[in-house]
């Protein structure tokens, strides 16, 4: 009787966890898919936001029309709420759980481990790059905190916009000021450009070799 009860308890526990043998239920799979869709959306939208801040900065610096300058400034300031929203949502996402999700997709979808490894590397890259762009946006907007904008601050905003689309390595051939800027922003915002660069290399090797690492 005790043995039967023990077996029943195990079955109940497995059912309550909905994950005997590391299986995921449909709701959990849909949740992870939505998280990855959100990451991709944030990745694309933050690129557009940085371009908008850059363009509106040029308007403020080049235009003599006060109304036009004020309109451009409002557009720049409006990004702050979105930055905070995206940052909050990213904090809710666990990359470790997304990696487990992709490992499970090999069984669930019948894809290869190599394909799912690449899919996770790509979403990992988009996640980290989005965090980087959100930090860069915060830095760009901060130059307006004192209500004015100097020429050197305009140049800095332009450099940050350029850096938002590239990851500089130590051995890379790029202007020293961009290398220094990347290091400074990594330090200020706790970013990890080295990990981003490694993910870029992994994606490149995957496309070149089309095989598991």
């Amino acid at each position: 009787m005790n043995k039967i009860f023990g077996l029943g308890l195990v079955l109940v526990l497995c059912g309550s966890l909905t994950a005997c043998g590391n299986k995921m239920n449909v709701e959990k799979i849909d949740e992870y898919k939505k998280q990855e869709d959100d990451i991709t959306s944030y990745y694309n939208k933050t690129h557009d936001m940085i371009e908008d801040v850059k363009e509106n900065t040029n308007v403020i610096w080049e235009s003599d029309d006060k109304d036009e300058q004020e309109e451009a400034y409002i557009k720049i300031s409006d990004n702050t709420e979105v930055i905070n929203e995206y940052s909050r949502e990213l904090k809710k996402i666990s990359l470790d759980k997304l990696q487990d999700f992709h490992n499970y997709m090999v069984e669930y979808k019948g894809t290869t481990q190599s394909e799912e490894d690449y899919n996770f590397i790509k979403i990992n890259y988009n996640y980290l790059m989005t965090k980087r762009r959100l930090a860069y946006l915060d830095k760009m907007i901060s130059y307006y905190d004192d209500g004015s904008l100097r020429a050197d601050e305009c140049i800095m905003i332009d450099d940050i916009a350029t850096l938002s689309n590239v990851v500089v390595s130590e051995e890379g051939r790029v202007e020293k000021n961009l290398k220094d800027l990347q290091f400074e922003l990594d330090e200020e915002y706790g970013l990890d450009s080295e990990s981003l660069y490694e993910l870029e290399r992994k994606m490149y090797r995957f496309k070149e070799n089309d095989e598991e690492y």
Side-chain angles (χ1 to χ4, degrees), residues 92-121:
K92 299 176 184 177
I93 297 173
S94 166
L95 289 176
D96 288 339
K97 289 182 179 179
L98 287 182
Q99 186 170 30
D100 291 341
F101 162 69
H102 280 285
N103 290 335
Y104 180 65
M105 286 298 98
V106 176
E107 174 186 346
Y108 184 78
K109 290 171 56 181
T111 51
T112 66
Q113 187 66 54
S114 180
E115 288 176 295
E116 293 303 332
D117 285 347
Y118 175 75
N119 289 337
F120 174 68
I121 287 169

Side-chain angles (χ1 to χ4, degrees), residues 32-44:
Y32 291 139
K33 286 180 178 177
K34 182 182 183 306
Q35 287 181 359
E36 296 203 337
D37 287 343
D38 287 343
I39 290 170
T40 302
S41 175
Y42 300 158
Y43 173 80
N44 291 326

Side-chain angles (χ1 to χ4, degrees), residues 10-39:
V10 170
L11 292 174
V12 169
L13 285 173
C14 286
S16 65
L17 293 173
T18 67
C20 263
N22 293 324
K23 290 185 178 179
M24 294 182 185
N25 59 32
V26 175
E27 290 78 11
K28 186 60 68 174
I29 290 172
D30 288 343
E31 177 187 336
Y32 291 139
K33 286 180 178 177
K34 182 182 183 306
Q35 287 181 359
E36 296 203 337
D37 287 343
D38 287 343
I39 290 170

Side-chain angles (χ1 to χ4, degrees), residues 150-172:
R150 302 191 309 268
D152 62 313
E153 292 174 330
C154 284
I155 293 171
M156 189 65 71
I157 288 171
D158 190 65
D159 285 345
I160 293 173
T162 299
L163 196 59
S164 70
N165 292 314
V166 296
V167 184
V168 180
S169 66
E170 283 300 320
E171 64 274 14

Side-chain angles (χ1 to χ4, degrees), residues 31-182:
E31 177 187 336
Y32 291 139
K33 286 180 178 177
K34 182 182 183 306
Q35 287 181 359
E36 296 203 337
D37 287 343
D38 287 343
I39 290 170
T40 302
S41 175
Y42 300 158
Y43 173 80
N44 291 326
K45 288 178 179 178
T46 50
H47 172 270
D48 295 338
M49 289 165 67
I50 285 175
E51 290 299 309
D52 286 343
V53 171
K54 178 182 174 181
E55 290 174 10
N56 283 297
T57 296
N58 291 336
V59 170
I60 291 172
W61 185 252
E62 296 172 1
S63 176
D64 293 325
D65 188 319
K66 295 296 182 182
D67 290 337
E68 193 173 22
Q69 289 178 339
E70 181 64 21
E71 183 181 354
Y73 175 74
I74 290 172
K75 289 179 180 178
I76 290 171
S77 301
D78 285 345
N79 287 296
T80 302
E81 186 175 341
V82 181
I83 293 169
N84 293 333
E85 177 191 346
Y86 289 178
S87 297
R88 286 194 302 269
E89 292 304 314
L90 287 180
K91 286 179 181 178
K92 299 176 184 177
I93 297 173
S94 166
L95 289 176
D96 288 339
K97 289 182 179 179
L98 287 182
Q99 186 170 30
D100 291 341
F101 162 69
H102 280 285
N103 290 335
Y104 180 65
M105 286 298 98
V106 176
E107 174 186 346
Y108 184 78
K109 290 171 56 181
T111 51
T112 66
Q113 187 66 54
S114 180
E115 288 176 295
E116 293 303 332
D117 285 347
Y118 175 75
N119 289 337
F120 174 68
I121 287 169
K122 184 166 64 174
I123 206 69
N124 191 357
Y125 177 85
N126 288 351
Y127 177 92
L128 293 179
M129 183 60 91
T130 300
K131 287 188 66 176
R132 171 184 169 118
R133 285 175 176 167
L134 290 170
Y136 284 10
L137 280 162
D138 180 76
K139 187 65 177 180
M140 294 165 82
I141 295 172
S142 73
Y143 289 115
Y144 292 91
D145 286 347
D146 61 359
S148 63
L149 194 65
R150 302 191 309 268
D152 62 313
E153 292 174 330
C154 284
I155 293 171
M156 189 65 71
I157 288 171
D158 190 65
D159 285 345
I160 293 173
T162 299
L163 196 59
S164 70
N165 292 314
V166 296
V167 184
V168 180
S169 66
E170 283 300 320
E171 64 274 14
R173 294 182 179 179
V174 70
E175 294 90 341
K176 185 178 182 301
N177 67 306
L178 290 182
K179 286 186 179 181
D180 292 343
L181 178 58
Q182 178 176 275

